[in-house]
Amino acid sequence: MRRPVPRAARVLVVLAIPCAAPAMGWLVFSHGTVIDGPLMLGPLMTAAPQFARAADDFRTACLVNGWGLLGIGGIGFIFGLFVLMPAGIVLLAAASPTRPRPRRFPVLVGGVVSAVTLGLAGWVLGPVWIGPYFQEPDAFLATVHEDSPLLGVGLRPTTLRVNATDLGHGATLVSLGETGGVPGGRLTVVFAPGAPTADLAVLRQRIAGLPGVSDARLCSPPAHNCR
């Protein structure tokens, strides 16, 4: 009769999957490089042992994929593929409880590596992915209609200089861009953090008073997406 997979082994594989989060974060911010393939392969290899039902098959999958991730991470270390190595270590640790005589030390190592990896991932990726949602808005957005003179070449008034010095009232940066295929444009006015509420009210009125501009509103977090 085939032995079932111990719960401790499956728990370690579950912990190994988020250990691949740094790889996914790297993939998001790499903007298309030669390491995208291995980075995408890493999380898939990490989750593969969960499909095994017998302890022997589970152990084989953990060993093959664990050593594979370590190999990929070692070969591509200088290219950043080392981010796959913690998941590989945890997979190798997950193979231990499936042995006829399991040892506790590999399980302890897998737990420590998981905790350290997830802690570092949260520390690095948290401010980038989650932090902006807790920031106060720091920009006004406004809709520029397609018939607005602001969209004409050479007709931009001095109040829309990039450095926003003429706009005043806490404004620090002005940008005017397209809206993704929709006729018209989008006006973004970034203001200094901590600008007085009274200045922001005047700034919003000045933006709304520009020709062909409507719907001046505060940017919803994450604020950095408005720039």
Side-chain angles (χ1 to χ4, degrees):
M1 183 177 180
R2 308 184 75 180
R3 293 184 299 114
V5 180
R7 179 177 298 180
R10 291 203 180 275
V11 169
L12 283 176
V13 173
V14 170
L15 292 176
I17 294 174
C19 283
M24 297 305 297
W26 192 300
L27 181 63
V28 171
F29 294 107
S30 63
H31 302 294
T33 64
V34 294
I35 65 173
D36 285 0
L39 286 176
M40 293 180 63
L41 182 63
L44 296 177
M45 294 176 62
T46 304
Q50 290 288 41
F51 293 97
R53 293 290 177 264
D56 293 339
D57 297 337
F58 187 92
R59 181 171 66 253
T60 299
C62 287
L63 292 175
V64 171
N65 292 335
W67 284 115
L69 289 175
L70 288 179
I72 293 174
I75 294 174
F77 189 90
I78 61 175
F79 299 105
L81 293 178
F82 59 86
V83 295
L84 296 174
M85 300 182 77
I89 295 174
V90 178
L91 283 184
L92 293 180
S96 180
T98 63
R99 299 182 183 278
R101 295 182 179 179
R103 294 179 296 173
R104 294 184 179 181
F105 181 72
V107 177
L108 178 62
V109 171
V112 171
V113 171
S114 299
V116 173
T117 303
L118 295 179
L120 290 175
W123 180 62
V124 174
L125 299 178
V128 178
W129 287 354
I130 302 175
Y133 289 93
F134 295 92
Q135 295 177 359
E136 293 294 328
D138 62 355
F140 281 110
L141 296 180
T143 301
V144 183
H145 300 289
E146 58 182 325
D147 57 349
S148 171
L150 300 182
L151 299 178
V153 179
L155 297 179
R156 184 171 301 183
T158 57
T159 51
L160 289 185
R161 291 177 181 173
V162 173
N163 59 14
T165 53
D166 293 328
L167 200 54
H169 300 282
T172 60
L173 180 67
V174 174
S175 64
L176 184 61
E178 298 180 354
T179 56
V182 179
R186 184 181 71 171
L187 178 67
T188 305
V189 179
V190 181
F191 52 83
T197 303
D199 281 346
L200 295 182
V202 176
L203 178 60
R204 184 172 186 171
Q205 291 177 355
R206 296 198 65 180
I207 296 171
L210 294 171
V213 174
S214 64
D215 192 25
R217 61 202 183 277
L218 278 174
C219 167
S220 298
H224 72 276
N225 286 340
C226 300
R227 302 183 182 180

PDB file of all heavy atoms in Angstrom, residues 18-23 114-129:
ATOM      1  N   PRO A  18       5.168  30.771  -1.669  1.00  0.00           N
ATOM      2  CA  PRO A  18       5.394  32.221  -1.537  1.00  0.00           C
ATOM      3  C   PRO A  18       6.865  32.598  -1.457  1.00  0.00           C
ATOM      4  O   PRO A  18       7.202  33.767  -1.619  1.00  0.00           O
ATOM      5  CB  PRO A  18       4.658  32.582  -0.238  1.00  0.00           C
ATOM      6  CG  PRO A  18       4.536  31.312   0.514  1.00  0.00           C
ATOM      7  CD  PRO A  18       4.413  30.238  -0.518  1.00  0.00           C
ATOM      8  N   CYS A  19       7.743  31.614  -1.204  1.00  0.00           N
ATOM      9  CA  CYS A  19       9.179  31.913  -1.246  1.00  0.00           C
ATOM     10  C   CYS A  19       9.624  32.296  -2.659  1.00  0.00           C
ATOM     11  O   CYS A  19      10.716  32.849  -2.841  1.00  0.00           O
ATOM     12  CB  CYS A  19       9.995  30.717  -0.759  1.00  0.00           C
ATOM     13  SG  CYS A  19      10.001  30.513   1.029  1.00  0.00           S
ATOM     14  N   ALA A  20       8.783  31.965  -3.651  1.00  0.00           N
ATOM     15  CA  ALA A  20       9.068  32.371  -5.025  1.00  0.00           C
ATOM     16  C   ALA A  20       8.560  33.775  -5.317  1.00  0.00           C
ATOM     17  O   ALA A  20       8.702  34.261  -6.438  1.00  0.00           O
ATOM     18  CB  ALA A  20       8.444  31.381  -6.013  1.00  0.00           C
ATOM     19  N   ALA A  21       7.947  34.444  -4.311  1.00  0.00           N
ATOM     20  CA  ALA A  21       7.452  35.808  -4.517  1.00  0.00           C
ATOM     21  C   ALA A  21       8.540  36.779  -4.962  1.00  0.00           C
ATOM     22  O   ALA A  21       8.293  37.622  -5.825  1.00  0.00           O
ATOM     23  CB  ALA A  21       6.767  36.311  -3.246  1.00  0.00           C
ATOM     24  N   PRO A  22       9.765  36.705  -4.398  1.00  0.00           N
ATOM     25  CA  PRO A  22      10.813  37.600  -4.920  1.00  0.00           C
ATOM     26  C   PRO A  22      11.073  37.414  -6.408  1.00  0.00           C
ATOM     27  O   PRO A  22      11.352  38.376  -7.121  1.00  0.00           O
ATOM     28  CB  PRO A  22      12.043  37.224  -4.089  1.00  0.00           C
ATOM     29  CG  PRO A  22      11.483  36.691  -2.819  1.00  0.00           C
ATOM     30  CD  PRO A  22      10.224  35.965  -3.219  1.00  0.00           C
ATOM     31  N   ALA A  23      10.960  36.155  -6.876  1.00  0.00           N
ATOM     32  CA  ALA A  23      11.149  35.915  -8.305  1.00  0.00           C
ATOM     33  C   ALA A  23      10.059  36.584  -9.118  1.00  0.00           C
ATOM     34  O   ALA A  23      10.312  37.173 -10.174  1.00  0.00           O
ATOM     35  CB  ALA A  23      11.180  34.415  -8.594  1.00  0.00           C
ATOM     36  N   SER A 114      12.021  29.620   5.117  1.00  0.00           N
ATOM     37  CA  SER A 114      10.750  30.210   4.684  1.00  0.00           C
ATOM     38  C   SER A 114      10.475  31.514   5.420  1.00  0.00           C
ATOM     39  O   SER A 114      10.088  32.519   4.812  1.00  0.00           O
ATOM     40  CB  SER A 114       9.597  29.233   4.932  1.00  0.00           C
ATOM     41  OG  SER A 114       9.770  28.042   4.205  1.00  0.00           O
ATOM     42  N   ALA A 115      10.668  31.502   6.746  1.00  0.00           N
ATOM     43  CA  ALA A 115      10.399  32.700   7.530  1.00  0.00           C
ATOM     44  C   ALA A 115      11.306  33.855   7.121  1.00  0.00           C
ATOM     45  O   ALA A 115      10.855  34.997   6.956  1.00  0.00           O
ATOM     46  CB  ALA A 115      10.566  32.390   9.021  1.00  0.00           C
ATOM     47  N   VAL A 116      12.590  33.563   6.939  1.00  0.00           N
ATOM     48  CA  VAL A 116      13.537  34.619   6.555  1.00  0.00           C
ATOM     49  C   VAL A 116      13.223  35.152   5.163  1.00  0.00           C
ATOM     50  O   VAL A 116      13.223  36.369   4.923  1.00  0.00           O
ATOM     51  CB  VAL A 116      14.986  34.090   6.622  1.00  0.00           C
ATOM     52  CG1 VAL A 116      15.966  35.118   6.053  1.00  0.00           C
ATOM     53  CG2 VAL A 116      15.359  33.747   8.060  1.00  0.00           C
ATOM     54  N   THR A 117      12.935  34.246   4.226  1.00  0.00           N
ATOM     55  CA  THR A 117      12.645  34.669   2.855  1.00  0.00           C
ATOM     56  C   THR A 117      11.386  35.514   2.784  1.00  0.00           C
ATOM     57  O   THR A 117      11.355  36.567   2.138  1.00  0.00           O
ATOM     58  CB  THR A 117      12.496  33.445   1.941  1.00  0.00           C
ATOM     59  OG1 THR A 117      13.683  32.657   1.996  1.00  0.00           O
ATOM     60  CG2 THR A 117      12.241  33.881   0.500  1.00  0.00           C
ATOM     61  N   LEU A 118      10.321  35.059   3.447  1.00  0.00           N
ATOM     62  CA  LEU A 118       9.069  35.812   3.412  1.00  0.00           C
ATOM     63  C   LEU A 118       9.218  37.149   4.133  1.00  0.00           C
ATOM     64  O   LEU A 118       8.632  38.156   3.716  1.00  0.00           O
ATOM     65  CB  LEU A 118       7.950  34.994   4.044  1.00  0.00           C
ATOM     66  CG  LEU A 118       7.577  33.699   3.299  1.00  0.00           C
ATOM     67  CD1 LEU A 118       6.465  32.967   4.035  1.00  0.00           C
ATOM     68  CD2 LEU A 118       7.153  34.002   1.869  1.00  0.00           C
ATOM     69  N   GLY A 119      10.006  37.180   5.202  1.00  0.00           N
ATOM     70  CA  GLY A 119      10.242  38.440   5.891  1.00  0.00           C
ATOM     71  C   GLY A 119      10.980  39.441   5.023  1.00  0.00           C
ATOM     72  O   GLY A 119      10.610  40.618   4.944  1.00  0.00           O
ATOM     73  N   LEU A 120      12.034  38.970   4.340  1.00  0.00           N
ATOM     74  CA  LEU A 120      12.787  39.856   3.446  1.00  0.00           C
ATOM     75  C   LEU A 120      11.938  40.293   2.261  1.00  0.00           C
ATOM     76  O   LEU A 120      12.010  41.451   1.832  1.00  0.00           O
ATOM     77  CB  LEU A 120      14.059  39.151   2.963  1.00  0.00           C
ATOM     78  CG  LEU A 120      15.149  38.925   4.010  1.00  0.00           C
ATOM     79  CD1 LEU A 120      16.298  38.115   3.420  1.00  0.00           C
ATOM     80  CD2 LEU A 120      15.662  40.258   4.548  1.00  0.00           C
ATOM     81  N   ALA A 121      11.132  39.365   1.728  1.00  0.00           N
ATOM     82  CA  ALA A 121      10.265  39.718   0.599  1.00  0.00           C
ATOM     83  C   ALA A 121       9.261  40.778   0.996  1.00  0.00           C
ATOM     84  O   ALA A 121       8.993  41.725   0.250  1.00  0.00           O
ATOM     85  CB  ALA A 121       9.550  38.473   0.072  1.00  0.00           C
ATOM     86  N   GLY A 122       8.685  40.635   2.193  1.00  0.00           N
ATOM     87  CA  GLY A 122       7.737  41.640   2.666  1.00  0.00           C
ATOM     88  C   GLY A 122       8.400  42.985   2.895  1.00  0.00           C
ATOM     89  O   GLY A 122       7.821  44.034   2.613  1.00  0.00           O
ATOM     90  N   TRP A 123       9.629  42.959   3.398  1.00  0.00           N
ATOM     91  CA  TRP A 123      10.360  44.197   3.671  1.00  0.00           C
ATOM     92  C   TRP A 123      10.715  44.926   2.375  1.00  0.00           C
ATOM     93  O   TRP A 123      10.666  46.144   2.299  1.00  0.00           O
ATOM     94  CB  TRP A 123      11.620  43.884   4.466  1.00  0.00           C
ATOM     95  CG  TRP A 123      12.454  45.088   4.803  1.00  0.00           C
ATOM     96  CD1 TRP A 123      12.093  46.160   5.563  1.00  0.00           C
ATOM     97  CD2 TRP A 123      13.788  45.339   4.363  1.00  0.00           C
ATOM     98  NE1 TRP A 123      13.135  47.069   5.647  1.00  0.00           N
ATOM     99  CE2 TRP A 123      14.181  46.594   4.917  1.00  0.00           C
ATOM    100  CE3 TRP A 123      14.698  44.625   3.580  1.00  0.00           C
ATOM    101  CZ2 TRP A 123      15.447  47.140   4.688  1.00  0.00           C
ATOM    102  CZ3 TRP A 123      15.958  45.173   3.358  1.00  0.00           C
ATOM    103  CH2 TRP A 123      16.318  46.409   3.903  1.00  0.00           C
ATOM    104  N   VAL A 124      11.064  44.160   1.321  1.00  0.00           N
ATOM    105  CA  VAL A 124      11.476  44.771   0.050  1.00  0.00           C
ATOM    106  C   VAL A 124      10.274  45.116  -0.821  1.00  0.00           C
ATOM    107  O   VAL A 124      10.181  46.222  -1.365  1.00  0.00           O
ATOM    108  CB  VAL A 124      12.437  43.826  -0.710  1.00  0.00           C
ATOM    109  CG1 VAL A 124      12.740  44.385  -2.098  1.00  0.00           C
ATOM    110  CG2 VAL A 124      13.728  43.634   0.080  1.00  0.00           C
ATOM    111  N   LEU A 125       9.344  44.169  -0.965  1.00  0.00           N
ATOM    112  CA  LEU A 125       8.231  44.362  -1.891  1.00  0.00           C
ATOM    113  C   LEU A 125       7.049  45.090  -1.262  1.00  0.00           C
ATOM    114  O   LEU A 125       6.250  45.692  -1.973  1.00  0.00           O
ATOM    115  CB  LEU A 125       7.760  43.004  -2.431  1.00  0.00           C
ATOM    116  CG  LEU A 125       8.798  42.193  -3.211  1.00  0.00           C
ATOM    117  CD1 LEU A 125       8.202  40.860  -3.629  1.00  0.00           C
ATOM    118  CD2 LEU A 125       9.298  42.961  -4.428  1.00  0.00           C
ATOM    119  N   GLY A 126       6.935  45.019   0.069  1.00  0.00           N
ATOM    120  CA  GLY A 126       5.813  45.666   0.737  1.00  0.00           C
ATOM    121  C   GLY A 126       5.711  47.153   0.445  1.00  0.00           C
ATOM    122  O   GLY A 126       4.642  47.642   0.045  1.00  0.00           O
ATOM    123  N   PRO A 127       6.806  47.921   0.625  1.00  0.00           N
ATOM    124  CA  PRO A 127       6.708  49.359   0.332  1.00  0.00           C
ATOM    125  C   PRO A 127       6.387  49.661  -1.127  1.00  0.00           C
ATOM    126  O   PRO A 127       5.836  50.713  -1.439  1.00  0.00           O
ATOM    127  CB  PRO A 127       8.108  49.881   0.703  1.00  0.00           C
ATOM    128  CG  PRO A 127       8.636  48.892   1.683  1.00  0.00           C
ATOM    129  CD  PRO A 127       8.087  47.566   1.235  1.00  0.00           C
ATOM    130  N   VAL A 128       6.738  48.738  -2.033  1.00  0.00           N
ATOM    131  CA  VAL A 128       6.499  48.977  -3.465  1.00  0.00           C
ATOM    132  C   VAL A 128       5.073  48.623  -3.855  1.00  0.00           C
ATOM    133  O   VAL A 128       4.413  49.360  -4.594  1.00  0.00           O
ATOM    134  CB  VAL A 128       7.511  48.166  -4.308  1.00  0.00           C
ATOM    135  CG1 VAL A 128       7.238  48.361  -5.800  1.00  0.00           C
ATOM    136  CG2 VAL A 128       8.936  48.595  -3.972  1.00  0.00           C
ATOM    137  N   TRP A 129       4.564  47.487  -3.366  1.00  0.00           N
ATOM    138  CA  TRP A 129       3.254  46.999  -3.785  1.00  0.00           C
ATOM    139  C   TRP A 129       2.130  47.420  -2.851  1.00  0.00           C
ATOM    140  O   TRP A 129       1.015  47.688  -3.292  1.00  0.00           O
ATOM    141  CB  TRP A 129       3.277  45.466  -3.885  1.00  0.00           C
ATOM    142  CG  TRP A 129       4.036  44.959  -5.060  1.00  0.00           C
ATOM    143  CD1 TRP A 129       4.586  45.695  -6.071  1.00  0.00           C
ATOM    144  CD2 TRP A 129       4.330  43.592  -5.366  1.00  0.00           C
ATOM    145  NE1 TRP A 129       5.219  44.888  -6.980  1.00  0.00           N
ATOM    146  CE2 TRP A 129       5.077  43.582  -6.574  1.00  0.00           C
ATOM    147  CE3 TRP A 129       4.069  42.386  -4.743  1.00  0.00           C
ATOM    148  CZ2 TRP A 129       5.538  42.409  -7.163  1.00  0.00           C
ATOM    149  CZ3 TRP A 129       4.530  41.212  -5.328  1.00  0.00           C
ATOM    150  CH2 TRP A 129       5.242  41.237  -6.524  1.00  0.00           C
TER     151      TRP A 129
END
